[in-house]
Structures are given as structure tokens and as C-alpha cells.
Amino acid sequence: MNLDCSFESQRHISNMAEALRYWSECRPDDAAVYFTDGEDEEIRWSFADLDRGARAVAARLQASDMRGQRAVLMFPPGLEFIKALFGCLYAGVVAVPAFPPRRNRNVNRVSVISEDSQAQVVLGTSTSLVRTRENLANAPRLGDLFWLAVDEVDDSEASAYQIHECQPDELAVLQYTSGSTGSPKGVMLTHNNLIHNVNVIGHCFETSTKTVGLSWLPMYHDMGLVGGILQPMFAGCTSVIMSPMSFLQKPVRWFKAVTKYGVTISGGPNFAYQLCLQKVTDD
């Protein structure tokens, strides 16, 4: 792939899979994403690391003939969610982000989502999938799906990946509402929808390759998904990801991470700022 790696040429990218492939060639060793607890723990993936992992997941999905199918993504906070998301986009599989179940209530919610979306595959980590399997008594349909632990997919499988050319009106993500006032409802997001969204955000926030974003919001949440993952990946800038629990347990970690990584864009809902006022001292 021979690419013009100027920032202006990036604006012609037509889908998020193409965006990651673009930056993995233009800036392979630069940091795409960090996962941190806001203090000492840190995992760093370059654009090349993420591209390779996504291609490996995509190759496994292609080998199972999952193109055009829906995949429920059930991940704890971490980088594996991002690898699985782009693995789906690379393979032409529709990603369906969902909260990983911890109790029967959450299992029922995921079961409703999997049935409504007509999912054929469940992606997660080996730990999250084991925990989910332990609570399937009230959700037997989930047990009948193809389960794939992405942390057990070796990056060497990336060589088997066959490029899928995404179409602008092709469904990319099914994003479900919380279901707090009724059954979760899915919103259909095409590649065009995602690209329009990240373009508008990039214009309003004036993002560039020098931007550093930070998000502790859940990655299945709209702001965490689009603002924390997709927009930085489109702009080719670095994204710093924290677990929501890391922030809630000790809000000052947000500020520490902003300082440590030189973050230029970060945000959250109103309650987060109020929590900081209550919990973070002047010292």
C-alpha cells in the first residue's frame, strides 16, 4: 500500500478500517493507544500493534465465515475491546458493543441484545467469556453462539487476513441503548455515519496528529466509543484509555494522567466534575 502520509490526505479516508490501515503504514511505531490506571500501570500499543492484532482477529472471523454477521463485544476495560472492534471492521462483521455481564440481570440484557441483533458470534477476553458462561442458565441462546477470546488469538494469524473493502452504506456498528427504561434498542451506524461523526468532532475540536485524548468512559458508551476510540484513530493521534473504576475510586487519577501524557482533550459528564470537586483536595 503506497500512501500519501500528509495529514490532508487523511481526510479522504472513507471508513474506520481504512483509517487504522492508513496510520499503521504512515506512523507504525507511534503510540496509538495507552491503557493506564492513571498511576503506574501502563500498556502501550502502536498503530502497527493494533493493526496486526485487528488483522489476526479479522482472519479468525473470516475463517469462520462471519462476514456480514453480528458480533456481540463483551469486554472489561482494556485494549482488547479496541482490537476486537477493528477486527470486526476489518472483516466486514457488524460490531455490537455490550457491557460484560456480572449478574443475571446483565446476562439477560446481553441475551436480549444478542437476540435482537441476530448475533452469531460473541467476542471477549478469556476471563470475561468464562464468567459469562457461568451465568447462562437464563440465557441459553448465548451459549449456542460462536465464542472467541481475542486474547487467545496470536498475532501471527494476521498473515491470513484478506482485505475487506467496506462500502459507505455498509452497517458497521449496532449501538444499543442502556435499556434502563425498557428493552435495549439498537441504533444502526453505517461507515458513512461513523466517518461523518468523527469528521465533525475533528473539525470542532481541531484535532491533529499532535492531539492527545483521554477517556475513562465505558467503551461501549457513545462518548467513550466515538470520542475515546474512533475519533483519535481517524485523526491519527494518541488516545489514553482508563477504566471507569480507576477514575471513580480515585478521581485525581484523571488529573495525573492528563499531566503524565500531556493530554490536550478530555471530558466527561457533569457528575465527574462534581466528584472531582468533592474528592480531590488542593494538595
Side-chain angles (χ1 to χ4, degrees), residues 29-138:
D29 299 323
D30 291 348
V33 61
Y34 289 92
F35 182 70
T36 179
D37 64 353
E39 298 193 70
D40 300 323
E41 294 183 10
E42 172 187 290
I43 301 173
R44 176 192 186 275
W45 282 2
S46 67
F47 287 103
D49 292 333
L50 180 54
D51 169 69
R52 186 164 49 250
R55 282 188 287 116
V57 172
R60 186 71 71 89
L61 291 170
Q62 288 177 331
S64 301
D65 197 26
M66 289 293 170
R67 178 178 175 179
Q69 302 295 342
R70 276 77 163 156
V72 176
L73 274 54
M74 294 192 300
F75 288 84
L79 300 185
E80 288 81 5
F81 173 92
I82 305 176
K83 178 167 69 174
L85 173 66
F86 278 92
C88 288
L89 297 178
Y90 273 22
V93 173
V94 180
V96 186
F99 185 79
R102 293 180 183 174
R103 302 178 301 278
N104 283 339
R105 180 173 64 85
N106 289 333
V107 170
N108 291 339
R109 178 180 182 275
V110 173
S111 180
V112 169
I113 289 175
S114 70
E115 187 166 353
D116 184 72
S117 66
Q118 299 180 346
Q120 295 297 314
V121 57
V122 177
L123 303 183
T125 64
S126 51
T127 301
S128 68
L129 294 185
V130 166
R131 289 177 178 171
T132 302
R133 283 188 181 278
E134 292 172 351
N135 294 285
L136 289 182
N138 297 322

Side-chain angles (χ1 to χ4, degrees), residues 2-282:
N2 184 18
L3 292 176
D4 171 10
C5 291
S6 66
F7 182 68
E8 282 303 315
S9 68
Q10 164 262 340
R11 298 183 186 279
H12 301 293
I13 289 172
S14 62
N15 60 75
M16 290 307 307
E18 186 180 334
L20 177 54
R21 290 198 298 266
Y22 176 91
W23 293 117
S24 69
E25 178 162 313
C26 292
R27 304 176 59 202
D29 299 323
D30 291 348
V33 61
Y34 289 92
F35 182 70
T36 179
D37 64 353
E39 298 193 70
D40 300 323
E41 294 183 10
E42 172 187 290
I43 301 173
R44 176 192 186 275
W45 282 2
S46 67
F47 287 103
D49 292 333
L50 180 54
D51 169 69
R52 186 164 49 250
R55 282 188 287 116
V57 172
R60 186 71 71 89
L61 291 170
Q62 288 177 331
S64 301
D65 197 26
M66 289 293 170
R67 178 178 175 179
Q69 302 295 342
R70 276 77 163 156
V72 176
L73 274 54
M74 294 192 300
F75 288 84
L79 300 185
E80 288 81 5
F81 173 92
I82 305 176
K83 178 167 69 174
L85 173 66
F86 278 92
C88 288
L89 297 178
Y90 273 22
V93 173
V94 180
V96 186
F99 185 79
R102 293 180 183 174
R103 302 178 301 278
N104 283 339
R105 180 173 64 85
N106 289 333
V107 170
N108 291 339
R109 178 180 182 275
V110 173
S111 180
V112 169
I113 289 175
S114 70
E115 187 166 353
D116 184 72
S117 66
Q118 299 180 346
Q120 295 297 314
V121 57
V122 177
L123 303 183
T125 64
S126 51
T127 301
S128 68
L129 294 185
V130 166
R131 289 177 178 171
T132 302
R133 283 188 181 278
E134 292 172 351
N135 294 285
L136 289 182
N138 297 322
R141 185 185 184 280
L142 279 175
D144 295 334
L145 305 184
F146 173 58
W147 292 53
L148 177 61
V150 301
D151 53 328
E152 295 179 353
V153 177
D154 194 273
D155 282 358
S156 62
E157 297 185 41
S159 60
Y161 170 63
Q162 300 293 317
I163 290 181
H164 166 71
E165 298 294 346
C166 304
Q167 299 305 311
D169 59 351
E170 182 180 324
L171 188 61
V173 175
L174 266 175
Q175 190 174 28
Y176 275 80
T177 60
S178 65
S180 56
T181 58
S183 295
K185 296 176 177 61
V187 178
M188 300 170 65
L189 301 175
T190 65
H191 288 283
N192 252 348
N193 294 147
L194 296 180
I195 290 298
H196 175 76
N197 201 347
V198 296
N199 262 313
V200 170
I201 293 172
H203 175 74
C204 293
F205 283 82
E206 298 182 351
T207 55
S208 73
T209 55
K210 298 184 183 300
T211 298
V212 180
L214 186 155
S215 174
W216 49 262
L217 290 156
M219 289 184 280
Y220 57 86
H221 182 280
D222 185 64
M223 190 173 176
L225 176 65
V226 180
I229 299 172
L230 296 180
Q231 210 291 319
M233 206 59 60
F234 178 75
C237 64
T238 299
S239 180
V240 181
I241 303 295
M242 288 174 58
S243 164
M245 290 308 299
S246 293
F247 165 69
L248 293 172
Q249 290 168 353
K250 196 175 179 181
V252 74
R253 289 170 171 162
W254 187 10
F255 301 160
K256 287 184 175 180
V258 166
T259 301
K260 179 179 179 179
Y261 294 98
V263 171
T264 55
I265 298 176
S266 189
N270 289 352
F271 86 85
Y273 295 96
Q274 188 63 42
L275 187 64
C276 290
L277 287 172
Q278 294 170 356
K279 299 294 185 181
V280 181
T281 65
D282 289 344

